[in-house]
């Protein structure tokens, strides 16, 4: 809580002018803190008479349970495990190993029992299964109850969800039930030897990479985006076990009734593409975008774009790479006229090889690229296409 020592406060109103959230106001001859306060501490640092301070209303870190284990929440898609589940298990296993902890996985859904043994083969120590007809479709109330039950029993220090539409609905509700914090859309996670989870994600419009910790509450919860982490590798895990759990009938109840499910036609997503040529604002015009498409076609790949191209209406949102678009992990990524802003770069670090074409040798994209071509894309792109066409013709 942001507090004000009214004995020290001179009502100079400097705090009101520096607050970026408009969360302070002068009323009834005192400074009032509004709900918009984000505890950014700018006012605390800038108060000329040190009248502002943050008061902790929570328990001390020492008072929290001595939990260490890691729990991941599996996700299903069209009756099978969503591939993001193996990515969460991979990250969860890595962190559990670092702090000598166990890894649990909760699987909720009709038919989920048949996947229990499978996740054990990827490093899960305990698979908690909730397999019931009522859980066939995602309905937030029973799913929340299931995760909450496992948290009460397993007492994990860390809980990981996928930053998918389901994970993004479920995680905040579970966090609220557990009265703990949640960091959404993390791009990196690190665990300290004391079990503290460092949740890293861009903040303040992507201008900083924030390291967020949850020192006073357990479990620590985060959602991670698909294609950001390496999937788990199979490993022998003697002693691992599947544990079937039941939800009480009242916990299965839901105000949501699923009347019908219509499957979307399968989308060819850049998230799954092995070769991507990404166009940025530097291409300048639509004609050059056609050249980018030609290069992608010659390489048997897909076209991705940066956000400005979507905003300009030159490309579809589904082609956008980045924090507000898709994360990608292709074998080859060629960027053309892309500066490499953090909102773009943070989502391409899983690419095996990145080749960047940019005429600015200091462009940030060269920090993440493995190969850089410094020069005018209007010269490099046609030359590349020409060479590739020759190679293809020769191969035929
Ligand atoms: C909350 C938030 C979320 C965002 N999410 C995303 C996101 O998901 N994806 C995303 O892409 N952006 C996102 N952005 C925007 C991001 O900050 C950048 O503005 C954007 O990525 C820049 O796109 P760009 O690299 O195409 O353009 P620019 O930054 O304008 O870069 C163009 C580059 O082209 C080079 N260039 C110009 N002419 C030539 C030439 N003839 N030959 C070679 N090189 C040339 C320039 O040197 C420059 O480096 C987000 C921003 C915010 C605030």
């Amino acid at each position: 809580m942001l507090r004000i020592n009214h004995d020290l406060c001179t009502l100079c109103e400097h705090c009101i002018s520096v607050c970026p959230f408009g969360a302070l106001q002068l009323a009834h001859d005192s400074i009032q803190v509004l709900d918009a306060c984000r505890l950014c501490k700018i006012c605390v640092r800038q108060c000329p008479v040190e009248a502002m301070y943050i008061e902790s209303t929570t328990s001390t870190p020492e008072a929290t349970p001595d939990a260490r284990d890691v729990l991941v929440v599996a996700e299903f898609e069209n009756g099978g495990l969503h591939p993001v589940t193996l990515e969460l298990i991979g990250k969860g296993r890595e962190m559990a190993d670092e702090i000598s902890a166990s890894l649990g996985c909760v699987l909720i859904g009709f038919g989920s029992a048949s996947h229990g043994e499978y996740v054990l083969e990827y490093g899960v120590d305990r698979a908690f299964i909730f397999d019931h007809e009522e859980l066939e479709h995602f309905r937030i109330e029973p799913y929340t109850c299931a995760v909450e039950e496992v948290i009460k029993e397993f007492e994990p220090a860390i809980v990981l969800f996928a930053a998918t539409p389901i994970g993004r609905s479920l995680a905040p509700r579970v966090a609220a039930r557990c009265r703990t914090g949640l960091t959404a859309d993390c791009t990196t996670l690190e665990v300290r030897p004391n079990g503290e989870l460092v949740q890293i994600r861009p903040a303040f419009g992507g201008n900083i990479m924030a390291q967020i910790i949850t020192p006073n509450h357990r479990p620590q919860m985060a959602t991670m985006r698909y294609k950001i982490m390496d999937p788990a590798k199979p490993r022998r895990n003697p002693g691992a076990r599947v544990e079937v759990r039941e939800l009480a009938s009242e916990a299965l109840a839901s105000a949501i009734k699923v009347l019908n499910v219509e499957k979307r036609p399968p989308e060819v997503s850049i998230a799954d593409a092995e070769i991507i040529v990404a166009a940025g604002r530097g291409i300048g015009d639509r004609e050059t975008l056609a050249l980018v498409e030609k290069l992608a076609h010659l390489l048997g790949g897909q076209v991705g774009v940066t956000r400005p191209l979507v905003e300009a209406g030159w490309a579809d949102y589904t082609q956008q790479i980045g924090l507000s678009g898709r994360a990608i992990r292709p074998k080859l990524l060629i960027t053309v006229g892309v500066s490499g802003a953090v909102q773009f770069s943070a989502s391409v670090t899983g690419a095996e090889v990145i080749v960047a074409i940019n005429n600015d040798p200091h462009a940030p994209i060269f920090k993440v690229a493995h190969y850089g071509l410094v020069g005018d894309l209007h010269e490099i792109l046609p030359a590349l296409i020409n060479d590739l066409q020759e190679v293809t013709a020769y191969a035929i």
Side-chain angles (χ1 to χ4, degrees):
M1 301 284 285
L2 176 62
R3 297 278 185 217
I4 298 156
N5 183 335
H6 294 287
D7 293 337
L8 293 176
C9 179
T10 59
L11 299 183
C12 70
E13 296 184 38
H14 183 60
C15 54
I16 297 178
S17 61
V18 297
C19 176
F21 302 106
L24 296 166
Q25 69 175 20
L26 181 63
H28 309 299
D29 287 339
S30 69
I31 302 291
Q32 310 275 323
V33 184
L34 306 176
D35 287 346
C37 176
R38 294 286 174 271
L39 297 177
C40 69
K41 298 189 195 168
I42 291 176
C43 58
V44 175
R45 284 196 293 270
Q46 298 218 9
C47 175
V49 292
E50 297 182 5
M52 328 234 1
Y53 61 98
I54 303 286
E55 184 183 81
S56 172
T57 56
T58 56
S59 55
T60 60
E62 291 75 26
T64 55
D66 195 18
R68 289 187 80 74
D69 296 337
V70 181
L71 179 71
V72 305
V73 180
E75 195 162 316
F76 289 93
E77 186 183 53
N78 301 328
L81 271 183
H82 189 298
V84 73
T85 304
L86 279 192
E87 296 181 6
L88 292 173
I89 291 173
K91 189 71 202 172
R93 186 67 265 171
E94 179 193 312
M95 294 196 298
D97 286 345
E98 276 179 50
I99 53 171
S100 308
S102 294
L103 176 66
C105 176
V106 51
L107 299 101
I108 312 163
F110 189 36
S112 58
S114 57
H115 300 275
E117 293 291 342
Y118 177 76
V119 297
L120 298 189
E121 288 167 20
Y122 286 85
V124 169
D125 299 306
R126 292 175 72 183
F128 300 94
I129 308 285
F130 290 87
D131 188 348
H132 197 283
E133 206 173 345
E134 293 290 310
L135 299 170
E136 180 174 8
H137 302 294
F138 172 66
R139 290 180 309 146
I140 185 109
E141 307 97 317
Y143 273 58
T144 306
C145 290
V147 181
E148 189 190 11
E149 280 206 6
V150 174
I151 289 174
K152 279 184 185 155
E153 178 188 340
F154 188 52
E155 295 190 341
I158 295 168
V159 184
L160 304 181
F161 297 82
T164 53
I166 289 181
R168 283 175 176 151
S169 325
L170 185 58
R173 199 145 169 148
V174 175
R177 288 263 178 104
C178 299
R179 299 190 177 277
T180 189
L182 167 71
T183 304
D185 276 7
C186 294
T187 53
T188 318
L189 290 176
E190 288 166 11
V191 66
R192 293 179 176 156
N194 65 355
E196 203 161 56
L197 181 68
V198 185
Q199 302 148 68
I200 302 167
R201 55 152 299 153
F204 292 107
N207 292 316
I208 58 160
M209 290 303 278
Q211 298 201 351
I212 299 164
I213 54 169
T214 313
N216 295 321
H217 293 274
R218 293 290 179 273
Q220 308 157 94
M221 293 194 184
T223 66
M224 289 286 290
R225 299 188 72 193
Y226 180 35
K227 292 279 175 185
I228 291 273
M229 306 159 285
D230 290 329
K233 295 192 169 61
R235 68 184 238 174
R236 280 177 50 78
N237 203 7
R241 59 185 192 269
V242 173
E243 300 175 40
V244 178
R245 297 283 178 272
E246 294 285 336
L247 273 185
S249 56
E250 56 274 24
L252 281 169
S254 170
I256 300 163
K257 202 169 173 186
V258 179
L259 300 176
N260 180 29
V261 177
E262 280 183 27
K263 288 209 176 106
R264 272 196 312 196
E267 174 191 299
V268 189
S269 169
I270 54 166
D272 300 315
E274 295 207 332
I275 297 174
I276 296 175
V277 184
R281 185 156 41 195
I283 62 164
D285 50 43
R286 278 182 183 239
E287 288 70 43
T288 313
L289 184 58
L291 284 183
V292 170
E293 284 163 357
K294 192 164 184 181
L295 178 60
H297 176 71
L298 280 169
L299 291 167
Q302 290 188 41
V303 175
V305 294
T306 59
R307 188 157 101 170
L309 271 66
V310 175
E311 286 169 346
W314 292 3
D316 190 69
Y317 168 71
T318 53
Q319 292 173 278
Q320 183 183 318
I321 299 164
L323 284 179
S324 46
R326 306 276 199 280
I328 56 168
R329 296 177 76 85
K331 290 198 167 125
L332 172 66
L333 168 67
I334 302 178
T335 69
V336 186
V338 174
S339 61
V342 64
Q343 294 89 354
F344 176 89
S345 298
S347 299
V348 304
T349 47
E352 275 178 36
V353 176
I354 303 176
V355 181
I357 305 171
N358 196 306
N359 61 4
D360 174 5
H362 304 294
I365 192 69
F366 291 125
K367 289 192 185 133
V368 290
H370 304 94
Y371 300 96
L373 300 175
V374 180
D376 186 353
L377 66 90
H378 299 289
E379 291 170 13
I380 296 171
L381 206 50
L384 258 180
I385 290 172
N386 204 27
D387 283 0
L388 268 169
Q389 277 172 332
E390 276 180 19
V391 173
T392 321
Y394 183 71
I396 291 164

